[in-house]
Structure formats: C-alpha cells, structure tokens
Amino acid sequence: MTLVQLEYLLAVDTHRHFATAADHCFVTQPTLSMQLQKLEEELGVQLFDRSRVPVRPTEIGKEVIAQARIVVAESKKLQEIVQNQKQDLAGELRIGVIPTLAPYLIPLFITGFIQKYPQVRVVVQEMLTNQIVEKLNHELLDVGLLVTPLEDKSIKELPMFYESFVAYVHPEHPLANRNTISPQDLSLDEMWVLNEGHCFRSQVLNICNRGVNSIAASGGHFDYKSGSLETLKRIVETQHGYTLLPELSVLDMPEDKRQLVRIFEEPQPLREVSLVVHRSFLKKKLIEALHKEIVAALPKQVREREKEAVVEIK
C-alpha cells in the first residue's frame, strides 16, 4: 500500500469517474486503474462498484476511504511542517465564499492580502453553503467564508464578525417614512427574497418568524425568482415593497440609494460570518494570515460589534 494509491483512491471517490480522476492526478486511466486494483488485491476487498455510473464506493470502501483521507492529510502535514519553517508564505489558497458575502467582503481584503503575500496564489469560488462544505470534505477547497453555525462535526468554525441586517425599501412604501423598523413590521407579502438554497433566504424568513418553506408573494402580475441581492435591490427601486440586505452590501452606496436603507431597532438581528475549515485542515499559517487580513480590513463598526441577536440558519 502506498500514498500514491491512496491519493488515486480519494480522487476516484471525489470525481466518481476513473478517467476524470486520472486527469486530476495527471496519469493515464490504465495506470490509475491498475494501482487501485493492486490496492484492492492487497486489502482483499472491492472498494468501488464499477457496474454503476457514476461509480460508487462499496460499504467497506467508504470506511477505507474515510481512513485514507486521514492518512493522506497527515502525510501532507509533514510537508507543511517543513514549509512553516520558511519565512515567506507561498502556495495556493482555495477559498469558497457564499454569494451574499462575495461581492462585498472579497474587495475589502483581497488586494491587501495579495500585496502582503505575493507568493500565494488565491483562487476564489462563489458557491452555496452546502457546496462549500462538500468541497472542504473532499479537499477541493482549503477554506470557506460563510455564515455559521453549521452544526457539522466535520467542520471547524472560526467566527470573524457579526453583520447586521438592514431593510431596503421602495421610496413610496410606508416603512420609508420610519427611521428604524422592527421584525414585527415585516410582511412576506411585500418582501422580495432570494431563491431557495441560499442561507440568506433562511435567515430572512427567521427574522420574520416564518418557516423556511414560506414563500414571499410579489403581488400583482410580476413574480421574480432571484439568486442575486443586487437584482432584488433593483426590483425594489423600480417596482414596490422591500428586501433585506447584509450590512456590508450598503456601506458604499451612493447617497440617493442610502436614503432607501432602514436599520432595525436594537437589538439588531445579526448573522455570524466565519472562516470555516475541515477538522483536519492544512495550510494553517496561510489560513491564519487570511483570517487576520479579513478582520483588519473590516469597517470599525463591524469589526468591534459583539454577538447579540444572531439569526441562526434553520
């Protein structure tokens, strides 16, 4: 049994296709298949059900794969021990970030991070929370930026800051005449929300004390399903009603748009934004540097805010 064989094993489990796994490992498919066959012969078990498309691990294969991930991760830590002795941080850092954070958080820190660590190649992918967790578990990402708590035992959460929710209101709506609002003022009949699958949708419905299966009615003859907060803002401006937005999304708004923002009464509903990694994560120094750079780049009122009424994802 070799580390190379275990890496091939993990690649097939990740991609569920021998040819794709071989491409990922930069070897030919016959080479990868031969090495996996040798591993199966040595263990005396079949690790994959090759009769199914996509291929799937057998029951014993699942257990072997889980242990193989630990072995491979520990072997990589040996390389990391040596790398950590060097002063300069280097390598690739793969970051997954949810859509309601990406356009507002990434620009705050990415330039400073790249300038400070020029030997680090940063790869950012925008995706939903469940996709980030899946990719962390399959070692296709190094770190995620998302909203917690997740209550996932495979994931380690490092809270960074607490971000408030605000309302973005059509100028002719009654809420536009108020300086502050409360959750009791909100009606789903007048609210525009994101598509199902976005954690931000769940948080908004929780603020309204509605279940995640609630559906906001647009009223009239126009019903729009969106995955973009920027699109919801434009709909509010041109149609009617209101939507809820994360605090970072309104900080740099021009003054005419800022007039449509309404804050919540104290205690304001907040969401906990965290840096998340797999429990057996690598690249510790790189991730610590990322955490430090993000927190330092936050606006003061966000960075210094303490946890209050955090809206959990349910």
Side-chain angles (χ1 to χ4, degrees), residues 74-119:
E74 290 299 318
S75 71
K76 290 180 179 179
K77 286 183 180 180
L78 293 176
Q79 303 171 16
E80 190 167 305
I81 289 172
V82 176
Q83 182 66 36
N84 286 343
Q85 296 304 310
K86 302 177 182 179
Q87 292 184 351
D88 295 332
L89 293 180
E92 184 176 77
L93 186 62
R94 301 164 299 176
I95 305 172
V97 55
I98 57 175
T100 58
L101 269 177
Y104 318 116
L105 182 60
I106 297 297
L108 291 180
F109 74 86
I110 195 63
T111 300
F113 185 84
I114 292 174
Q115 290 176 347
K116 186 174 292 187
Y117 306 106
Q119 297 185 57

Side-chain angles (χ1 to χ4, degrees), residues 177-219:
N177 298 321
R178 302 183 57 174
N179 293 326
T180 61
I181 61 173
S182 71
Q184 290 70 36
D185 298 324
L186 303 178
S187 168
L188 289 180
D189 292 336
E190 302 176 288
M191 183 184 297
W192 300 92
V193 296
L194 292 176
N195 291 339
E196 292 184 14
H198 289 268
C199 62
F200 194 80
R201 171 190 172 95
S202 301
Q203 295 150 19
V204 167
L205 295 178
N206 286 343
I207 291 174
C208 300
N209 294 317
R210 307 295 176 87
V212 296
N213 294 322
S214 300
I215 300 177
S218 61

Side-chain angles (χ1 to χ4, degrees), residues 239-268:
Q239 297 296 317
H240 58 84
Y242 48 84
T243 190
L244 296 192
L245 301 172
E247 181 180 10
L248 292 181
S249 71
V250 304
L251 293 181
D252 294 328
M253 273 185 173
E255 185 57 33
D256 60 328
K257 306 297 184 185
R258 288 279 300 177
Q259 294 179 5
L260 304 182
V261 176
R262 295 295 178 271
I263 64 173
F264 280 88
E265 300 171 352
E266 296 291 346
Q268 294 181 326

Side-chain angles (χ1 to χ4, degrees), residues 16-292:
R16 300 298 171 94
H17 192 276
F18 281 86
T20 305
D23 289 342
H24 178 77
C25 296
F26 303 104
V27 296
T28 63
Q29 182 177 342
T31 297
L32 181 141
S33 297
M34 180 184 65
Q35 290 297 324
L36 282 183
Q37 185 175 351
K38 286 184 177 180
L39 179 60
E40 289 179 322
E41 290 174 355
E42 180 179 346
L43 295 175
V45 296
Q46 184 176 348
L47 299 174
F48 289 99
D49 182 353
R50 293 166 172 79
S51 66
R52 307 180 70 174
V53 179
V55 295
R56 296 182 182 180
T58 60
E59 287 304 311
I60 187 63
K62 293 178 182 178
E63 295 185 37
V64 172
I65 288 168
Q67 187 62 35
R69 291 196 180 280
I70 296 174
V71 173
V72 172
E74 290 299 318
S75 71
K76 290 180 179 179
K77 286 183 180 180
L78 293 176
Q79 303 171 16
E80 190 167 305
I81 289 172
V82 176
Q83 182 66 36
N84 286 343
Q85 296 304 310
K86 302 177 182 179
Q87 292 184 351
D88 295 332
L89 293 180
E92 184 176 77
L93 186 62
R94 301 164 299 176
I95 305 172
V97 55
I98 57 175
T100 58
L101 269 177
Y104 318 116
L105 182 60
I106 297 297
L108 291 180
F109 74 86
I110 195 63
T111 300
F113 185 84
I114 292 174
Q115 290 176 347
K116 186 174 292 187
Y117 306 106
Q119 297 185 57
V120 177
R121 180 174 182 264
V122 181
V123 180
V124 179
Q125 302 177 56
E126 189 174 314
M127 59 189 73
L128 300 179
T129 296
N130 63 330
Q131 295 171 322
I132 293 175
V133 172
E134 181 179 1
K135 286 184 178 290
L136 285 172
N137 285 330
H138 286 86
E139 301 177 8
L140 297 176
L141 288 176
D142 299 308
V143 62
L145 303 177
L146 45 75
V147 173
T148 51
L150 297 177
E151 297 182 355
D152 188 320
K153 294 182 179 179
S154 69
I155 298 298
K156 182 176 182 179
E157 303 172 3
L158 307 171
M160 293 186 295
F161 62 94
Y162 296 93
E163 182 181 23
S164 66
F165 292 80
V166 299
Y168 195 64
V169 185
H170 188 277
E172 296 182 3
H173 192 277
L175 290 182
N177 298 321
R178 302 183 57 174
N179 293 326
T180 61
I181 61 173
S182 71
Q184 290 70 36
D185 298 324
L186 303 178
S187 168
L188 289 180
D189 292 336
E190 302 176 288
M191 183 184 297
W192 300 92
V193 296
L194 292 176
N195 291 339
E196 292 184 14
H198 289 268
C199 62
F200 194 80
R201 171 190 172 95
S202 301
Q203 295 150 19
V204 167
L205 295 178
N206 286 343
I207 291 174
C208 300
N209 294 317
R210 307 295 176 87
V212 296
N213 294 322
S214 300
I215 300 177
S218 61
H221 302 283
F222 182 44
D223 185 8
Y224 192 92
K225 301 294 188 297
S226 176
S228 165
L229 290 177
E230 295 303 310
T231 301
L232 295 185
K233 285 160 61 177
R234 289 294 297 148
I235 291 177
V236 168
E237 294 165 7
T238 60
Q239 297 296 317
H240 58 84
Y242 48 84
T243 190
L244 296 192
L245 301 172
E247 181 180 10
L248 292 181
S249 71
V250 304
L251 293 181
D252 294 328
M253 273 185 173
E255 185 57 33
D256 60 328
K257 306 297 184 185
R258 288 279 300 177
Q259 294 179 5
L260 304 182
V261 176
R262 295 295 178 271
I263 64 173
F264 280 88
E265 300 171 352
E266 296 291 346
Q268 294 181 326
L270 309 173
R271 65 174 185 171
E272 180 181 77
V273 178
S274 298
L275 183 154
V276 302
V277 293
H278 190 269
R279 282 288 175 185
S280 58
F281 74 103
L282 301 171
K283 304 182 182 179
K284 182 177 180 179
K285 282 196 171 182
L286 261 180
I287 291 172
E288 287 176 347
L290 176 67
H291 187 285
K292 183 177 180 180

